[in-house]
Amino acid sequence: NAGVMQNPRHLVRRRGQEARLRCSPMKGHSHVYWYRQLPEEGLKFMVYLQKENIIDESGMPKERFSAEFPKEGPSILRIQQVVRGDSAAYFCASSPRQLAGTTDTQYFGPGTRLTVL
Amino acid sequence: GDSVTQMEGPVTLSEEAFLTINCTYTATGYPSLFWYVQYPGEGLQLLLKATKADDKGSNKGFEATYRKETTSFHLEKGSVQVSDSAVYFCALSDGKGGGNKLTFGTGTQLKVEL
């Protein structure tokens, strides 16, 4: 069973360009979380999605960032008009269908390291 | 809001030494608590977890006990190996917002030397 896949592993963009990060959850997982890790810091929650729905985007910056998890295909985190402060590692995690009152384990991908020049 | 505080690193130990990495948390209700490990260039791997007070999570010789009275979840291992060198993250999930988003500490780097 393949783990969580993220691509690309490394992405370099110039200021003002768009960055598109992809995440394929583990087979059978319908919940996806995106986290950002700035240098020398812990991971910060960005957004939580289920298929075709954004459930919690309380950690997403209000502008330039968007996320989707279509019925078919990977989840996409898109950053428009990137700035140097967007340079970070972006991690995706997936979990299976969650029952009320339970805490399912999140399985993390290897991350995409974004560098903005 | 929720928060997790970990001891700062790096922590440098000799092989076979005893390890403690302190973790305390602030949260409403009864969160679930986790330790994740990150090896260089890789994503996070779940090391252990505990979902209620007094639970002890354990894996690969590591263990941590959920202490509600002290709001702590300290990670311990009796005898570390060079292969344990990594960054360790303490995290919590309170189950609010319709999901199980994780709140992480800043991480503690562990270096184990021969």
Side-chain angles (χ1 to χ4, degrees), chain B residues 4-7 21-25 35 71-74 90-91:
Chain B
V4 175
T5 302
Q6 292 181 233
M7 60 188 289
I21 300 178
N22 291 336
C23 171
T24 57
Y25 67 90
W35 277 100
T71 62
S72 64
F73 193 54
H74 305 321
C90 185

Side-chain angles (χ1 to χ4, degrees), chain B residues 56-76:
Chain B
K56 177 185 283 189
S58 61
N59 185 26
K60 299 181 182 178
F62 291 90
E63 59 182 36
T65 301
Y66 189 146
R67 301 287 188 199
K68 182 174 177 295
E69 63 276 13
T70 54
T71 62
S72 64
F73 193 54
H74 305 321
L75 182 68
E76 297 182 335

Side-chain angles (χ1 to χ4, degrees), chain B residues 26-85:
Chain B
T26 302
T28 55
Y30 303 96
S32 295
L33 302 174
F34 305 82
W35 277 100
Y36 279 85
V37 58
Q38 184 179 31
Y39 297 99
E42 298 184 12
L44 278 71
Q45 301 174 26
L46 178 66
L47 183 59
L48 53 85
K49 69 177 184 181
T51 58
K52 61 183 188 296
D54 299 324
D55 268 3
K56 177 185 283 189
S58 61
N59 185 26
K60 299 181 182 178
F62 291 90
E63 59 182 36
T65 301
Y66 189 146
R67 301 287 188 199
K68 182 174 177 295
E69 63 276 13
T70 54
T71 62
S72 64
F73 193 54
H74 305 321
L75 182 68
E76 297 182 335
K77 186 176 185 183
S79 176
V80 294
Q81 306 298 313
V82 171
S83 57
D84 294 327
S85 298

